[in-house]
Amino acid sequence: GAVVSQHPSRVICKSGTSVKIECRSLDFQATTMFWYRQFPKKSLMLMATSNEGSKATYEQGVEKDKFLINHASLTLSTLTVTSAHPEDSSFYICSARDPGQGFSYNEQFFGPGTRLTVL
Amino acid sequence: KNEVEQSPQNLTAQEGEFITINCSYSVGISALHWLQQHPGGGIVSLFMLSSGKKKHGRLIATINIQEKHSSLHITASHPRDSAVYICAVRINDMRFGAGTRLTVKP
């Protein structure tokens, strides 16, 4: 299967700082990438859909000015948590869609996740 | 009511047992995914289904579109299968079930 990487895997920051998380598709071009967050013992929640070269589409209740998403190339999307607060502490996961996977229009490959802790 | 319901929420089995995890959804979908999340958080996509049945090793996934139901089966379960299994459906975006925490004891 296709490989998606995330960096960093863990980050601890002070309240008020901004944190950038990178999501890369390593062996395919991803026209669409997705960002999720997961609270402890909770299910994944889709935050936004990121299409290369256009603005991200945010889910209801997700602050676009708080969670800045940039999909500047077909292999890289970034999520920046601006002015982070302790309640932003969560596990952030990206996934990428590989349109080359046959019928797998809906096939998604997940990154390993980034654990953010805001002190 | 959640759009995606999984059962059971928790499941403990002895090594070698046959495992079934169920997923029901309430809306029309274009595809259903079964995901495996390991204790460290990493997620692996196991299957994507739009109809019928798929098999990969000891894992089998089935879907019945008319009944809006899917099952994930694990044959000859092993402790390394211990993980959270998540059902997700694609509507316009992805909707996730709450997950089934599987523990397989040696």
Side-chain angles (χ1 to χ4, degrees):
Chain A
V3 178
V4 175
S5 71
Q6 272 184 250
H7 178 79
S9 58
R10 289 180 179 271
V11 57
I12 300 172
C13 69
K14 292 182 179 180
S15 186
T17 60
S18 293
V19 176
K20 180 184 283 189
I21 303 169
E22 293 185 348
C23 177
R24 293 182 186 272
S25 56
L26 296 185
D27 51 1
F28 66 99
Q29 293 184 328
T31 53
T32 304
M33 289 184 171
F34 305 86
W35 286 96
Y36 306 87
R37 68 186 297 183
Q38 186 178 35
F39 293 104
K41 298 187 178 181
K42 297 291 185 182
S43 188
L44 291 166
M45 182 191 79
L46 179 66
M47 298 175 66
T49 302
S50 166
N51 291 298
E52 187 267 338
S54 63
K55 289 184 179 180
T57 302
Y58 289 82
E59 295 300 298
Q60 193 172 9
V62 178
E63 299 176 61
K64 58 184 68 176
D65 295 330
K66 172 77 171 173
F67 299 99
L68 300 178
I69 292 173
N70 185 293
H71 193 160
S73 77
L74 286 171
T75 60
L76 173 64
S77 177
T78 60
L79 167 68
T80 301
V81 182
T82 62
S83 187
H85 287 277
E87 58 264 31
D88 298 324
S89 298
S90 190
F91 191 60
Y92 293 86
I93 304 169
C94 74
S95 71
R97 180 184 290 165
D98 180 358
Q101 290 280 325
F103 162 67
S104 305
Y105 166 75
N106 293 313
E107 189 71 81
Q108 291 186 36
F109 298 94
F110 288 82
T114 297
R115 192 166 299 281
L116 171 63
T117 303
V118 184
L119 303 177
Chain B
K1 186 181 189 299
N2 291 335
E3 289 167 312
V4 184
E5 297 277 356
Q6 272 186 250
S7 64
Q9 193 172 4
N10 292 285
L11 180 57
T12 301
Q14 287 297 131
E15 184 173 356
E17 286 185 7
F18 181 83
I19 304 290
T20 296
I21 300 171
N22 295 300
C23 175
S24 297
Y25 52 93
S26 57
V27 295
I29 65 170
S30 56
L32 181 144
H33 298 251
W34 280 103
L35 311 172
Q36 181 191 52
Q37 185 170 30
H38 291 281
I43 291 176
V44 174
S45 180
L46 298 175
F47 294 104
M48 188 195 69
L49 295 162
S50 58
S51 65
K53 175 180 174 179
K54 285 189 176 180
K55 184 176 189 293
H56 186 261
R58 294 181 295 105
L59 302 178
I60 302 167
T62 63
I63 187 168
N64 184 317
I65 297 293
Q66 287 73 31
E67 294 185 3
K68 294 186 170 59
H69 181 269
S70 176
S71 293
L72 176 68
H73 305 286
I74 305 174
T75 61
S77 60
H78 191 276
R80 64 175 175 268
D81 297 326
S82 298
V84 175
Y85 293 84
I86 302 169
C87 168
V89 298
R90 178 104 197 147
I91 311 168
N92 292 319
D93 52 38
M94 292 282 277
R95 307 285 177 177
F96 296 88
T100 295
R101 185 173 299 275
L102 172 66
T103 303
V104 181
K105 295 185 175 180

